[in-house]
C-alpha cells in the first residue's frame, strides 16, 4: 500500500506530490515552482509575493458569497534531518514514504508532514467542489522553520481574509490559541590551532541516535542533548587524561534537539586502559540516566583514530568545551499562567567548525518576550566572556491567546458535535507564524490545529492516518459553519 491509497484521497495524493519536491528551509525555489505549476494545471488563480509566499484563491460555494473570507495557511518548507547512516540529499532527493499500520513515516529521514500535510490539506480544499464554504485564500508561506521569513515578509493586502486557520499543529483534538516567541543566538570565534602532539593516542568519541525532536514541542521530555552530553564527558576527563581537542561537530538545525555529536580527542599514551574504563562507566551512566527519556538505540562510542595534523590550542579548546557544557539548555521555567506549559527554554542546537572558526548556535523560546531575551543575554554573556563574537538572529514574537475568539467558539462547537468530546484549548511552547500575522493584521481572528504527528524535526517523524481523516472532517465542518 502507498499513501495514494489512503483516505482522504485528495489530501494524500497532494501530499504524495509534495514529498517528491525537495524543500528544505531556505531552498524553496522548487517548491514555489511546483505550487505555481499546480495552480496553473488546475486553473486556480494565484499570486506570488517578493519573498516567495504563494497565495491561491477559490470562490465561495454558490449562495455563500457573503460569508467571511477564510485564509487556510501552511508553510512550504520542511526540517531536513536524517539518520547518520542514511544517504540522502535534501536538495535533490524525494522523500520515500512508508505506510506502517496506522502511521505514515519516511525511510530514514524527516517525513515533512510538518507542514506538508497542512499544505496538502489546503490544496485538497481548493480541489474539492463538494464542500460548502465562503471565499477561500490558501496561503503557503516560506521558511517558517528558520526565521519565519514568509510571515515576516508578508505585505498588507496580499491576503484579505478576516479569519485564519493555521494548519500547522501536531495533535488532533487540540485547538491552539497562542505560542511562544523565539530568538537564535550565534556565537563564533576563530580559534588558534597548533601541531598535534605525538605523545598521544587519538580517539573519535561520538554520541549517536538520541531521539532529538522539536526543540519547542518536545523540549520538556528530558531527551538527551548530544552536544552537551559529549562535552560533559570531555570536560570530566580533561585534566585526568591531559586531553587535546582536534575537532568537534554536533547537531544541525536551530529548532531540532541535537541527536548526534562527535569529537576527535587525544589522551596521554600511558592512560589508554584507564580511558576505556572511564568511557564505559560514562556509557553506563548515560544509559541509566536516559533510560525512560530515550530509546535504547542511542550509543556512546570511542574508537581509535588517526593522529590529526593540527589541534586547537589547549586553553581555547578547554574554554570551548566548558562553555558548551555550561550553556543553558532545556526547560528553564514553567508558565505560571497556563498549567503544564513550558514558559522558557533553551536548545544548544549545533557546534560547527568552518575552517578554524567555530560557530555555536543556541535557540531560545519563551511565551514572555522579556524572558526570551534574558536567556539569550545569558548565553551571550557566557560566550563573550571567552572572547566570542555573539549576534542574535531569527527573533520572532509570540502569539497572545484570545479566549474570546469567535472562530475558536465555532471550532469548539464543531469538534464536540463531530466527536462527542470537548477539544483541548491550549497555548504551545513552539513558534507559529500567527503572532507575526497578528502584528500585520491586528483584527485577524485565528486558531491553529492539525492531525497527529509524532517526533517531528527528527527521522522518526510520522503522521497518524486516522487522525488525518478526522482532521479533514473537522476542517470541512468548520468551513461549512463559517459559511
Amino acid at each position: 500500500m502507498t499513501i495514494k491509497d489512503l483516505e482522504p484521497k485528495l489530501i494524500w495524493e497532494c501530499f504524495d506530490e509534495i514529498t517528491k519536491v525537495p524543500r528544505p528551509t531556505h531552498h524553496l525555489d522548487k517548491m514555489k515552482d511546483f505550487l505555481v505549476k499546480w495552480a496553473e494545471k488546475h486553473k486556480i488563480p494565484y499570486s506570488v509575493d517578493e519573498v516567495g509566499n504563494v497565495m491561491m484563491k477559490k470562490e465561495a460555494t454558490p449562495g455563500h458569497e457573503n460569508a467571511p473570507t477564510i485564509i487556510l495557511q501552511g508553510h512550504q518548507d520542511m526540517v531536513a534531518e536524517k539518520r547518520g547512516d542514511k544517504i540522502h540529499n535534501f536538495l535533490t532527493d524525494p522523500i520515500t514514504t512508508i505506510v506502517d499500520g496506522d502511521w505514515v513515516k519516511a525511510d530514514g529521514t524527516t517525513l515533512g508532514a510538518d507542514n506538508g500535510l497542512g499544505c496538502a490539506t489546503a490544496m485538497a480544499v481548493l480541489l474539492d467542489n463538494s464542500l460548502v464554504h465562503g471565499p477561500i485564500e490558501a496561503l503557503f508561506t516560506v521558511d517558517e522553520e528558520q526565521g519565519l521569513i514568509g510571515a515576516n515578509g508578508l505585505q498588507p493586502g496580499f491576503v484579505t481574509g478576516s479569519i485564519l486557520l493555521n494548519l500547522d499543529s501536531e495533535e488532533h483534538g487540540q485547538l491552539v490559541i497562542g505560542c511562544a516567541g523565539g530568538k537564535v543566538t550565534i556565537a563564533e570565534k576563530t580559534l588558534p590551532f597548533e601541531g598535534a602532539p605525538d605523545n598521544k593516542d587519538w580517539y573519535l568519541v561520538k554520541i549517536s541516535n538520541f531521539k532529538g525532536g522539536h526543540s519547542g514541542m518536545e523540549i520538556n521530555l528530558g531527551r538527551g542533548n548530544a552536544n552537551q552530553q559529549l562535552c560533559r564527558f570531555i570536560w570530566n576527563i580533561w585534566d585526568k587524561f591531559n586531553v587535546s581537542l582536534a575537532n568537534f561537530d554536533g547537531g544541525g538545525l536551530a529548532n531540532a534537539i541535537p541527536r548526534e555529536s562527535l569529537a576527535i580527542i587525544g589522551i596521554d599514551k600511558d592512560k589508554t586502559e584507564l580511558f576505556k574504563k572511564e568511557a564505559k562507566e560514562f556509557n553506563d551512566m548515560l544509559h541509566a540516566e536516559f533510560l525512560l527519556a530515550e530509546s535504547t538505540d542511542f550509543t556512546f562510542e570511542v574508537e581509535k583514530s588517526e593522529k590529526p595534523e593540527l589541534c586547537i590550542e589547549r586553553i581555547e579548546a578547554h574554554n570551548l568545551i566548558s562553555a558548551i557544557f555550561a550553556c543553558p539548555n532545556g526547560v528553564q521555567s514553567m508558565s505560571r499562567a497556563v498549567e503544564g506549559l513550558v514558559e522558557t527554554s533553551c536548545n544548544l542546537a549545533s557546534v560547527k567548525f568552518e575552517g578554524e572558526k567555530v560557530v555555536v548556535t543556541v535557540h531560545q523560546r519563551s511565551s514572555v518576550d522579556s524572558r526570551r531575551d534574558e536567556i539569550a543575554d545569558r548565553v551571550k554573556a557566557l560566550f563573550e566572556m571567552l572572547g566570542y563574537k555573539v549576534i542574535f538572529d531569527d527573533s520572532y514574537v509570540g502569539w497572545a491567546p484570545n479566549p474570546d475568539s469567535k472562530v475558536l467558539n465555532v471550532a469548539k462547537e464543531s469538534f464536540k458535535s463531530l466527536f462527542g468530546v470537548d477539544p483541548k484549548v491550549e497555548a504551545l511552547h513552539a513558534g507559529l507564524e500567527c503572532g507575526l500575522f497578528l502584528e500585520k493584521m491586528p483584527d485577524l481572528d485565528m486558531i491553529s490545529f492539525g492531525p497527529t504527528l509524532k517526533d517531528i524535526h527528527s527521522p522518526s517523524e510520522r503522521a497518524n492516518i486516522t487522525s488525518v481523516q478526522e482532521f479533514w472532517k473537522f476542517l470541512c465542518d468548520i468551513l461549512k459553519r463559517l459559511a
Side-chain angles (χ1 to χ4, degrees):
M1 176 182 286
T2 70
I3 61 173
K4 290 191 290 185
D5 300 314
L6 301 174
E7 297 289 344
K9 205 165 187 62
L10 277 177
I11 290 181
W12 290 109
E13 286 177 346
C14 291
F15 183 62
D16 182 65
E17 290 186 73
I18 289 172
T19 63
K20 293 175 169 57
V21 184
R23 53 191 180 93
T25 306
H26 303 319
H27 299 277
L28 292 176
D29 285 346
K30 292 177 181 177
M31 184 61 179
K32 181 187 69 176
D33 291 345
F34 161 74
L35 289 171
V36 166
K37 290 175 182 175
W38 186 89
E40 291 173 344
K41 173 184 175 182
H42 294 285
K43 297 180 171 55
I44 296 171
Y46 70 90
S47 302
V48 182
D49 69 9
E50 292 182 358
V51 295
N53 296 321
V54 178
M55 189 272 290
M56 303 181 195
K57 287 187 175 183
K58 185 181 183 184
E59 293 182 353
T61 305
H64 299 273
E65 293 83 359
N66 294 326
T69 298
I70 308 299
I71 305 168
L72 300 177
Q73 187 267 322
H75 61 83
Q76 300 176 34
D77 57 321
M78 66 174 285
V79 168
E81 286 279 307
K82 64 185 182 70
R83 289 198 315 259
D85 61 347
K86 177 68 177 178
I87 299 174
H88 184 94
N89 186 341
F90 283 99
L91 297 178
T92 58
D93 299 342
I95 300 298
T96 301
T97 57
I98 300 168
V99 179
D100 183 7
D102 198 29
W103 297 89
V104 172
K105 59 185 182 180
D107 181 14
T109 70
T110 35
L111 174 63
D114 172 21
N115 187 228
L117 271 177
C119 293
T121 301
M123 293 160 69
V125 170
L126 295 171
L127 292 178
D128 193 341
N129 291 323
S130 71
L131 304 180
V132 176
H133 55 75
I136 298 290
E137 295 177 332
L139 175 63
F140 306 91
T141 53
V142 297
D143 297 328
E144 184 268 355
E145 297 290 2
Q146 294 181 44
L148 292 91
I149 290 171
N152 265 311
L154 191 69
Q155 294 299 309
F158 188 67
V159 289
T160 62
S162 58
I163 295 172
L164 186 142
L165 304 180
N166 172 273
L167 308 177
D168 189 23
S169 292
E170 286 86 36
E171 183 182 342
H172 177 60
Q174 176 191 62
L175 301 179
V176 176
I177 61 170
C179 70
K183 179 182 284 188
V184 174
T185 305
I186 301 172
E188 59 183 45
K189 185 178 184 180
T190 298
L191 300 181
F193 279 71
E194 58 191 15
D198 294 323
N199 62 337
K200 294 196 183 285
D201 287 328
W202 291 90
Y203 287 88
L204 169 69
V205 292
K206 179 170 65 174
I207 292 177
S208 303
N209 296 322
F210 272 153
K211 284 184 178 179
H214 191 292
S215 66
M217 298 296 292
E218 291 159 327
I219 199 72
N220 62 322
L221 299 181
R223 294 177 179 174
N225 182 303
N227 291 330
Q228 197 150 56
Q229 292 303 318
L230 187 59
C231 281
R232 174 187 182 185
F233 172 72
I234 298 171
W235 188 87
N236 274 290
I237 66 167
W238 190 267
D239 290 328
K240 183 184 293 187
F241 295 94
N242 192 28
V243 172
S244 295
L245 178 69
N247 189 30
F248 195 103
D249 186 283
L253 301 175
N255 52 9
I257 301 168
R259 304 173 57 252
E260 300 185 343
S261 190
L262 63 85
I264 303 291
I265 65 171
I267 65 164
D268 288 343
K269 279 184 176 292
D270 60 349
K271 297 180 179 178
T272 299
E273 291 306 314
L274 181 58
F275 171 71
K276 291 179 179 178
K277 179 174 179 292
E278 292 270 352
K280 182 183 182 306
E281 290 175 354
F282 184 79
N283 177 66
D284 293 344
M285 179 183 67
L286 211 59
H287 278 81
E289 288 182 355
F290 291 103
L291 177 66
L292 301 180
E294 289 287 345
S295 70
T296 57
D297 296 335
F298 82 85
T299 58
F300 170 74
E301 302 170 285
V302 298
E303 57 186 63
K304 265 301 194 56
S305 177
E306 295 293 322
K307 174 180 172 289
E309 183 179 345
L310 300 172
C311 65
I312 305 167
E313 189 276 323
R314 196 163 184 270
I315 292 177
E316 285 286 1
H318 187 254
N319 285 346
L320 173 63
I321 295 299
S322 299
I324 299 168
F325 182 36
C327 185
N329 181 72
V331 175
Q332 301 297 302
S333 60
M334 300 297 292
S335 172
R336 293 178 177 84
V338 181
E339 185 177 356
L341 176 68
V342 176
E343 178 197 81
T344 305
S345 73
C346 203
N347 177 45
L348 178 54
S350 71
V351 183
K352 300 289 182 183
F353 271 89
E354 300 172 359
E356 295 180 351
K357 181 174 73 174
V358 65
V359 181
V360 182
T361 302
V362 187
H363 191 183
Q364 297 78 210
R365 300 178 190 264
S366 184
S367 51
V368 180
D369 286 347
S370 60
R371 291 301 313 278
R372 174 203 64 189
D373 294 342
E374 179 202 12
I375 197 70
D377 286 342
R378 284 176 56 197
V379 174
K380 181 180 182 181
L382 171 64
F383 281 93
E384 282 190 338
M385 182 171 59
L386 299 173
Y388 283 68
K389 176 186 175 183
V390 181
I391 63 169
F392 296 133
D393 195 17
D394 290 352
S395 180
Y396 55 92
V397 297
W399 168 26
N402 175 18
D404 298 322
S405 159
K406 292 180 181 178
V407 69
L408 171 64
N409 290 329
V410 169
K412 288 164 65 177
E413 292 170 2
S414 170
F415 195 90
K416 182 67 176 285
S417 173
L418 290 172
F419 306 113
V421 295
D422 292 320
K424 294 185 290 185
V425 179
E426 296 181 329
L428 295 182
H429 188 65
L432 292 172
E433 294 154 293
C434 299
L436 290 167
F437 295 143
L438 200 60
E439 275 196 329
K440 297 170 183 292
M441 297 173 279
D443 296 326
L444 200 60
D445 191 7
M446 57 189 170
I447 56 172
S448 177
F449 59 102
T452 296
L453 310 179
K454 295 293 185 182
D455 293 324
I456 62 171
H457 297 193
S458 85
S460 299
E461 180 188 1
R462 58 200 184 278
N464 181 261
I465 297 167
T466 298
S467 75
V468 174
Q469 296 166 356
E470 294 179 348
F471 164 61
W472 175 246
K473 187 186 300 183
F474 182 37
L475 173 62
C476 294
D477 190 63
I478 291 175
L479 293 176
K480 184 176 181 179
R481 288 170 182 262
L482 292 172

